[in-house]
Amino acid sequence: MTTVAPKSVDPEVDAIRHHYEVSNDFYRLLLGPSMMYSGGYWEAGEDLNAALDEAQYRKLDKFAELAGVSPATGRVLDIGCGWGTMLNRLTTVHGAGQAVGLTLSRTQEAFIAGLDNPRITTLVQSWADYKVADDSEKYDAAFCINALEHFVSSNLPPKERTKRYRFFFQQVAGALNPGAKFVLHTMTAEALPMTRGLLDDLKFLQRSEFEGCHIPHLSELSAAAEGLFEIDEVVNERESFAMACRAWLVLLAERRDEAVALEGEEVVSRFERYLDIFAYTLEDKFFNNFRVTITRR
Ligand SMILES: C[S@@+](CC[C@H](N)C(=O)[O-])C[C@H]1O[C@@H](n2cnc3c(N)ncnc32)[C@H](O)[C@@H]1O
């Protein structure tokens, strides 16, 4: 079962830990060896589950390529780094010198420590509080892979949310060297009419799984980045995340008894419901999953 320290003083931190401090053994079972909790790049004709890990690594390699990471790259930053797969890949496959990951999850930090990679530093710290000490700590590339959805609270009024997204891009810009690339994967929401069933499902997501989570609109993000970054490319990769959710549902179904033994029926049922909601809302084009590549001015 999950073993975590007492609650923090910040309800937003507790909301993240509610989801991300379910045990690493459970996440291993759910996500498979690649331990990526985001969309993957499947090729036509590939089997969803047989190719899950390959699809995840392919995505990471594409992101590294878009950011120009090579053995000449000094420091890279992954904001919302999960279990460290991208940090590990950037340093071991792409040759980056040092990789720093930010997460709020102490169980993820423990998992990354187990990778035993001396080029990785994990900080259990929010993006909002993180600052480089001086220019020598600035990064040559940054990534944020399906984590921004957690960064701005849905409890804020729209104007305050806009300011918070602006603050996010200011924080990233402040950590990057001029000319450095920032590659972001994020779900966004379309302003489409809702059915009662969809409203119920969105309420479930907000109340039971991802309290305060706000899925942004693309326009909020482009306005927030203006003047700080130049936009290189924006691609809607909705199916990348829908397919990943479907693949995790298959893994969970195959090993459901073990999952229940680890975390209990309530947690497993919650995960089944939320993954299905994300899969179908992406498939129905209510949500998108954008890959955004931008350059620090
Ligand atoms: C869906 S997971 C994605 C993890 C990883 N990028 C991946 O693709 O597998 C979201 C991550 O964001 C982190 N996170 C949530 N809120 C955060 C915050 N305020 N500051 C830093 N990390 C945060 C969580 O701890 C988690 O690691």
Side-chain angles (χ1 to χ4, degrees):
M1 297 286 282
T2 311
T3 47
V4 292
K7 287 191 164 218
S8 80
V9 288
D10 182 342
E12 284 184 27
V13 172
D14 290 331
I16 295 296
R17 290 180 176 168
H18 167 72
H19 187 79
Y20 291 102
E21 291 193 353
V22 172
S23 67
N24 286 330
D25 285 342
F26 174 82
Y27 275 111
R28 250 190 223 105
L29 184 155
L30 179 73
L31 304 177
S34 56
M35 288 301 268
M36 286 303 298
Y37 205 12
S38 48
Y41 288 174
W42 278 264
E43 288 186 349
E46 279 184 332
D47 179 84
L48 192 62
N49 277 84
L52 169 63
D53 298 315
E54 187 54 36
Q56 291 293 355
Y57 297 134
R58 199 178 280 139
K59 182 262 309 279
L60 297 183
D61 293 343
K62 179 66 187 173
F63 277 38
E65 182 199 313
L66 286 168
V69 177
S70 76
T73 304
R75 286 167 58 77
V76 294
L77 176 66
D78 189 8
I79 307 165
C81 64
W83 292 265
T85 309
M86 181 53 154
L87 300 169
N88 210 28
R89 196 124 184 120
L90 288 166
T91 48
T92 58
V93 175
H94 297 279
Q98 287 292 322
V100 175
L102 304 182
T103 177
L104 291 179
S105 162
R106 296 157 294 186
T107 46
Q108 290 178 340
E109 181 196 34
F111 184 92
I112 299 170
L115 298 176
D116 206 18
N117 179 339
R119 294 191 184 185
I120 294 180
T121 305
T122 316
L123 302 173
V124 178
Q125 188 175 12
S126 175
W127 62 270
D129 303 322
Y130 179 66
K131 276 210 168 13
V132 294
D134 55 41
D135 279 0
S136 71
E137 280 196 2
K138 285 196 173 175
Y139 294 90
D140 301 314
F143 304 89
C144 181
I145 307 175
N146 289 120
L148 181 67
E149 297 89 326
H150 294 301
F151 290 176
V152 174
S153 171
S154 59
N155 299 322
L156 292 174
K159 266 196 183 155
E160 294 305 313
R161 280 206 309 259
T162 305
K163 283 192 202 155
R164 197 75 178 155
Y165 284 117
R166 180 73 181 164
F167 178 48
F168 171 71
F169 283 103
Q170 284 168 337
Q171 287 287 88
V172 182
L176 286 174
N177 287 313
K181 303 274 186 196
F182 177 39
V183 189
L184 172 71
H185 230 191
T186 182
M187 288 174 75
T188 65
E190 295 282 328
L192 290 177
M194 288 200 201
T195 61
R196 178 171 281 269
L198 177 56
L199 260 177
D200 283 347
D201 284 343
L202 295 181
K203 267 192 225 156
F204 164 80
L205 290 179
Q206 275 286 321
R207 291 184 184 160
S208 305
E209 207 50 60
F210 300 110
E211 204 188 322
C213 170
H214 174 68
I215 309 285
H217 293 272
L218 188 60
S219 56
E220 288 181 293
L221 302 184
S222 57
E226 204 164 299
L228 300 168
F229 289 90
E230 193 176 344
I231 295 182
D232 301 336
E233 186 193 55
V234 178
V235 190
N236 193 350
E237 299 183 327
R238 182 189 285 133
E239 70 290 347
S240 66
F241 209 168
M243 289 172 78
C245 292
R246 293 284 176 218
W248 300 326
L249 277 167
V250 171
L251 285 180
L252 192 51
E254 280 171 1
R255 297 178 64 189
R256 195 175 196 287
D257 290 350
E258 282 172 75
V260 171
L262 282 169
E263 291 298 337
E265 176 61 39
E266 193 264 334
V267 170
V268 173
S269 304
R270 263 180 22 217
F271 270 71
E272 286 169 334
R273 180 161 181 203
Y274 111 74
L275 286 169
D276 184 60
I277 296 172
F278 273 149
Y280 92 74
T281 47
L282 286 155
E283 288 158 357
D284 288 357
K285 305 188 178 179
F286 181 79
F287 289 134
N288 305 300
N289 195 43
F290 276 102
R291 183 181 80 201
V292 179
T293 308
I294 56 184
T295 304
R296 170 81 173 101
R297 285 186 186 275

